[in-house]
Amino acid sequence: MEYFMVPTQKVPSLQHFRKTEKEVIGGLCSLANIPLTPETQRDQERRIRREIANSNERRRMQSINAGFQSLKTLIPHTDGEKLSKAAILQQTAEYIFSLEQEKTRLLQQNTQLKRFIQELSGSSPKRRRAEDKDEGIGSPDIWEDEKAEDLRREMIELRQQLDKERSVRMMLEEQVRSLEAHMYPEKLKVIAQQVQLQQQQEQVRLLHQEKLEREQQHLRTQLLPPPAPTHHPTVIVPAPAPPHSHHINVVTMGPSSVINSVSTSRQNLDTIVQAIQHIEGTQEKQELEEEQRRAVIVKPVRSCPEAHTSDTASDSEASDSDAMDQSREEPLGDGELP
DNA sequence: TCTCGAATGGGTGTTGCTCT
DNA sequence: AGAGCAACACCCATTCGAGA
């Protein structure tokens, strides 16, 4: 209200106005030879008060009109368009309403863009959680996304661990072979070479199978169309565990288990010991120990839940890798970049 | 003293009718 | 069809009295 008030300094002071009015009225009365009786004096004062009130009312109306003009400049309208006071009020209300709707729309857009940026930059779930909390816009979709993100990260960690274990295994096997060459006589070497050959064949088969896997996966990713981007949460459902194969003759290294890594190295040592025992003619005892050894080696593999992601050369490998691929690909499906 | 609502009068545009 | 006119509606400014 005060904002639109007419500046008071431009308006003459009330006392001055009243004094001037009195003087003017008195002068007019004297000019018209009208006697200044008490009644006429009261009428004059009453009229003067009325005039003052009217003047104030005019100023008030002027301030109201100034406010309407200010509103008119704020609302969208064509130049020269005539707008009544009622129209100004109605259009102002409509304009404010549309601005509020626009604000809501922009806020939603901002939220979506922020989420998209977070997915692109791969920010940590904790940070995202904190940011969402700050905005107060947390939704179940975000929590599902975070679950998927966690699973994906866990999968990557397992992969890295697998690579590390593989390198350790190769190193240990190399050490065993060098020790073997130094320690054992020529007779043992033949047997050791046989065992080694068997292991190499096994490794070749492993590598071949891995290669096939990769090719299949590559084909799947090429043939399957990328999932349409959606804001629905992607829930990763673990693939059903394949039936455990009982091919215990082939003992290979589990991909993501330290236990399996140790078992394979131990297997190599056992194989050498077995060869020595074979030379010493303890054939029956060796077979007994062989049975025990296999039991020891196989048990941890079968009991370990991570065996599902194993790269063993068993029949269940394809299913395992499928499960792995499924859980690896799904988080990427929801418009997420690798 | 200020604010507010009602009443009033003037200006302007629209509409319906009549007349030419 | 177009001009003229009365009625009407709308908007606005002003006045006035009541009340906080």
Side-chain angles (χ1 to χ4, degrees):
Chain A
M1 176 68 80
E2 293 169 358
Y3 178 78
F4 301 111
M5 287 295 281
V6 175
T8 51
Q9 61 237 31
K10 290 185 180 176
V11 180
S13 67
L14 210 61
Q15 283 76 15
H16 176 72
F17 180 79
R18 190 176 288 179
K19 187 183 171 186
T20 310
E21 278 288 305
K22 270 188 177 179
E23 287 171 354
V24 170
I25 292 171
L28 286 173
C29 287
S30 63
L31 280 174
N33 289 327
I34 299 172
L36 272 174
T37 61
E39 289 180 359
T40 54
Q41 240 176 348
R42 270 199 297 272
D43 286 347
Q44 285 171 13
E45 286 180 1
R46 207 169 135 260
R47 237 186 303 168
I48 289 167
R49 277 196 290 272
R50 191 62 259 168
E51 274 301 313
I52 292 168
N54 289 347
S55 174
N56 290 337
E57 181 67 14
R58 267 192 294 271
R59 265 186 289 154
R60 195 180 70 85
M61 289 304 297
Q62 284 172 2
S63 73
I64 291 174
N65 290 338
F68 274 107
Q69 288 305 312
S70 297
L71 275 182
K72 189 182 173 184
T73 60
L74 291 176
I75 61 178
H77 69 286
T78 56
D79 288 338
E81 183 186 0
K82 279 195 78 174
L83 282 176
S84 67
K85 293 177 182 177
I88 289 173
L89 287 180
Q90 286 169 0
Q91 290 193 16
T92 301
E94 287 174 6
Y95 187 52
I96 290 173
F97 182 70
S98 68
L99 286 178
E100 281 181 346
Q101 280 188 327
E102 179 74 3
K103 178 189 167 190
T104 306
R105 191 184 64 80
L106 288 173
L107 276 176
Q108 287 175 350
Q109 196 178 356
N110 188 25
T111 303
Q112 286 179 357
L113 286 174
K114 271 185 181 176
R115 197 184 305 171
F116 184 62
I117 289 171
Q118 282 169 359
E119 285 173 359
L120 280 180
S121 63
S123 63
S124 70
K126 282 182 182 176
R127 189 179 148 204
R128 271 168 53 184
R129 220 168 278 149
E131 286 171 356
D132 290 345
K133 221 182 244 177
D134 289 344
E135 291 182 1
I137 52 169
S139 66
D141 289 6
I142 296 174
W143 296 108
E144 295 297 337
D145 287 348
E146 287 179 0
K147 279 182 188 173
E149 179 73 16
D150 288 343
L151 280 173
R152 195 171 68 90
R153 195 164 290 111
E154 194 177 344
M155 215 56 83
I156 292 171
E157 286 173 2
L158 287 174
R159 275 278 169 189
Q160 290 173 348
Q161 198 175 349
L162 167 65
D163 293 340
K164 203 183 294 177
E165 286 165 2
R166 271 184 184 155
S167 63
V168 169
R169 170 190 163 191
M170 299 296 284
M171 195 180 66
L172 285 173
E173 284 177 357
E174 189 64 30
Q175 286 178 357
V176 168
R177 275 193 292 273
S178 63
L179 280 175
E180 188 183 339
H182 282 90
M183 290 171 65
Y184 300 137
E186 284 296 319
K187 288 180 184 175
L188 286 179
K189 269 190 181 175
V190 178
I191 299 171
Q193 276 173 0
Q194 287 176 356
V195 174
Q196 200 173 344
L197 190 66
Q198 188 184 351
Q199 288 180 352
Q200 282 174 357
Q201 285 173 353
E202 196 59 45
Q203 281 187 352
V204 167
R205 202 164 71 86
L206 244 173
L207 288 171
H208 182 65
Q209 213 146 12
E210 277 187 4
K211 190 181 174 184
L212 280 175
E213 259 184 57
R214 283 200 212 98
E215 284 176 358
Q216 283 176 357
Q217 181 185 342
H218 185 65
L219 280 174
R220 273 198 299 271
T221 53
Q222 279 189 335
L223 288 176
L224 288 176
T230 172
H231 296 294
H232 297 299
T234 303
V235 181
I236 296 178
V237 180
H244 293 291
S245 65
H246 298 285
H247 292 232
I248 57 172
N249 289 334
V250 180
V251 180
T252 53
M253 188 180 195
S256 59
S257 165
V258 177
I259 296 173
N260 288 347
S261 168
V262 171
S263 299
T264 311
S265 303
R266 185 179 163 180
Q267 178 214 358
N268 296 333
L269 289 172
D270 286 345
T271 309
I272 296 163
V273 170
Q274 175 191 349
I276 296 168
Q277 286 171 346
H278 179 74
I279 295 295
E280 287 172 351
T282 57
Q283 187 73 25
E284 292 177 1
K285 190 182 175 184
Q286 174 209 352
E287 284 177 4
L288 187 66
E289 286 180 0
E290 169 79 2
E291 289 290 331
Q292 291 174 351
R293 180 183 62 80
R294 283 173 181 167
V296 168
I297 291 170
V298 170
K299 269 181 186 174
V301 175
R302 295 182 62 178
S303 62
C304 179
E306 289 177 354
H308 295 302
T309 56
S310 163
D311 62 350
T312 55
S314 64
D315 292 341
S316 65
E317 185 178 3
S319 306
D320 288 342
S321 64
D322 281 346
M324 181 101 160
D325 292 339
Q326 196 175 355
S327 53
R328 190 175 51 223
E329 285 170 0
E330 287 218 6
L332 300 176
D334 196 7
E336 194 169 350
L337 295 177

